[in-house]
Amino acid sequence: LRPALEPAGILNTPIAYSAELAVPPAPGVPEPFGRPESEYTDPVHIGLKSLPVTALATFAECPLKFKFRFVDRHPGLGEGPAVATNIGTLTHKALELDHSEIESLRPFASGADDAQLYEAIQLASNFHTMAAFAPVRVEKTEREKRFTRDYCGITLNGAVDVVGSDFVLDYKTDSVADPAAHSYQLWAYARAFEKPRAFIAYLRTGVLHEFRSENLDAIQKDAEIILERMKSGYI
């Protein structure tokens, strides 16, 4: 720094150490707090404020299961359903990034073995090859679109797999097609991106299920009831 300091008249002067000056001063007595500009006198809210969209279906299935997963944050077991979830996650990543080879998907494996990687690649390939999914295999789409939106005083957040011009789409790798189990999730996606239609692509069974506008309106009535129960802290 010397070439800049010397022209500025800042001399390289040593400062001798002083034990007295090295002692920090006492902070003293702080000033009393002033009266706040606003006061909130309502009872303290008890309940959850922000949740993933999947919490709706979990609550509808079993409020106690909802409590374990989203209130108590129980991690669950590492067998059975956890393996299926891992394959589903890898399948979504393969579709998001257009991966068609095991090696290109391996960096996202998180401990998955080759059998799981191969199954994920095969399931992703089903979307591109099965005739059932042709209506939603359009070129102009957006992938992995995240959102946050307030419903009935609770903030729902998530990410939809595909957003098209007039629809949203979610991939599923379930062994059995069960649209009712995912209806709240698709409703939230459609409302978040203001689309009149929502699809579920069941990659394992080759089923494409559509929720039309009137279906989404009916789902919303039930979703609002569930959200009110969540907001009240009812488990």
Side-chain angles (χ1 to χ4, degrees), residues 87-175:
I87 292 174
T89 301
L90 289 169
T91 303
H92 280 71
K93 185 61 67 175
L95 286 163
E96 177 191 355
L97 302 178
D98 288 325
H99 287 328
S100 58
E101 301 292 338
I102 287 181
E103 292 306 317
S104 61
L105 193 60
R106 194 178 299 280
F108 308 97
S110 299
D113 57 26
D114 283 2
Q116 295 177 31
L117 289 169
Y118 178 77
E119 186 172 352
I121 291 294
Q122 288 298 112
L123 289 171
S125 176
N126 288 348
F127 180 75
H128 297 294
T129 58
M130 287 186 170
F133 306 131
V136 290
R137 283 200 299 264
V138 294
E139 294 183 2
K140 294 183 178 180
T141 60
E142 297 179 279
R143 304 181 189 181
E144 284 297 315
K145 292 288 293 183
R146 304 199 64 82
F147 73 91
T148 299
R149 185 163 176 174
D150 182 80
Y151 295 98
C152 303
I154 293 181
T155 300
L156 295 180
N157 56 78
V160 62
D161 294 327
V162 177
V163 178
S165 59
D166 66 342
F167 71 90
V168 292
L169 169 71
D170 197 50
Y171 306 120
K172 296 296 181 187
T173 57
D174 302 359
S175 299

Side-chain angles (χ1 to χ4, degrees), residues 188-201:
Y189 293 157
R191 290 294 184 258
F193 293 97
E194 300 180 351
K195 304 298 181 182
R197 299 187 298 161
F199 291 93
I200 302 178

